[in-house]
Structure formats: C-alpha cells, structure tokens
Amino acid sequence: MTIKHMRGPATIALASALMGTLVTGAAHASPRGDDPAVAPAPEAKLAVPQNIGVRKYVDKDLVTVGERLHYRIHIHNRSRFITHAEVTDELDSIRLHARILSTGATTGHITLGRTKFVWHGILQPYRDADVTFTVRTGKVGWIYNTVRWGGKNPGRSTVKTRIVPKHTK
C-alpha cells in the first residue's frame, strides 16, 4: 500500500499507525504533489482549535515542612491529531513554599521558567499524556497550584495543599 498519494490529517494518523512511528509533516494537500511526510513543519498556530481535557492531581492535601509532594497533570485529546498541544502550569505559589526536585512527561517536552512551566506536545486522537513533577516543601503556608490550557475548551484546574510545621518532641 502506498500512502504518499493520500492527503490530510487522517492520512498522517494512518501513516503513523502503519509505520509504527509518529509522522509530523504538514496536514495539507501540496500543490506540487510532494509527500506530506517531508513537507515543511507547520506553524506554531493550530489549524484546528485543540480540544483537550486537562486534570491536575496532587498526592497530599496536608504535609509538614520538608515533605515531598507529587503532582500529576493528565492531558487527554478529545478530537483530531494535534501537533501543538500546550498546557501551562503556574509556579508562583510553589516557588514561594517549596523547591522543584524533578519534572517529567510521558510524551512531549517541558520548558521550565521562573514563574511557570509549559508542556508542549503532539497528541494522537483520543490519546493521553501525563506530566509529573515532585517538590520538597520548605515553608509553612498554602500551595495553590494551577494549570491552564487554551484551545476550543479553555480552562484551568487548581489543587491546594496546606504545609504545617514539624512538631518537635
């Protein structure tokens, strides 16, 4: 079967499934008959608004100073192939009360900044990605951690954790 003569987003998904790899070429018909798998990379804007669902989780609601917290951001693609999915996590409250120890993602990559980190990724239709990070608490107070996303159904998800002092005996 030759797939180079087929065109469109469904072709890219089909080609990826058949070849067992992710094809990231442009998803439009080329006027010169070029193979879409070798076409120039698409621009940063999405041709179709992303339709993703995002949920934020934290493993504890109450911790003492010095304990670790594990965060997870679950991202689900509810529609077509998305070449530029993006989720932003605000770190202001975390930077005030804790220190980031590690970050990771099941797919895509994370850009870590002073006040936020941004996850960028490619998502197949109806597939998921998980972003995780671990912090060590250092100061009494509340951590309010919010993740935001745009696209067709923009939104945000916030989790909060109270940090209390260690009790000495």
Side-chain angles (χ1 to χ4, degrees), residues 28-142:
H28 64 279
S30 175
R32 298 188 327 249
D34 292 342
D35 186 355
V38 294
E43 294 180 23
K45 295 171 97 178
L46 291 174
V48 176
Q50 62 188 11
N51 188 6
I52 59 175
V54 180
R55 182 66 193 233
K56 177 91 180 219
Y57 302 94
V58 65
D59 66 335
K60 300 173 189 168
D61 296 330
L62 178 67
V63 295
T64 60
V65 172
E67 279 191 72
R68 290 181 182 210
L69 287 173
H70 303 280
Y71 291 91
R72 182 171 68 100
I73 302 167
H74 182 75
I75 306 157
H76 177 70
N77 181 0
R78 297 178 177 162
S79 63
R80 300 169 157 194
F81 189 85
I82 300 174
T83 58
H84 290 85
E86 184 175 289
V87 172
T88 302
D89 195 298
E90 300 169 0
L91 300 175
D92 292 334
S93 187
I94 286 178
R95 296 275 193 198
L96 186 61
H97 297 289
R99 182 171 54 97
I100 297 174
L101 300 176
S102 65
T103 61
T106 57
T107 185
H109 66 277
I110 298 169
T111 304
L112 185 61
R114 179 106 179 100
T115 60
K116 65 182 178 180
F117 76 73
V118 181
W119 172 84
H120 303 275
I122 296 171
L123 285 175
Q124 297 273 347
Y126 306 102
R127 295 294 175 112
D128 301 330
D130 284 312
V131 177
T132 57
F133 64 100
T134 302
V135 304
R136 181 178 306 277
T137 61
K139 184 177 172 184
V140 173
W142 285 88

Side-chain angles (χ1 to χ4, degrees), residues 144-166:
Y144 294 93
N145 185 238
T146 301
V147 63
R148 296 180 188 275
W149 63 94
K152 190 174 180 180
N153 296 310
R156 68 181 186 191
S157 180
T158 302
V159 294
K160 63 182 180 176
T161 301
R162 184 173 177 203
I163 307 167
V164 297
K166 286 183 180 180

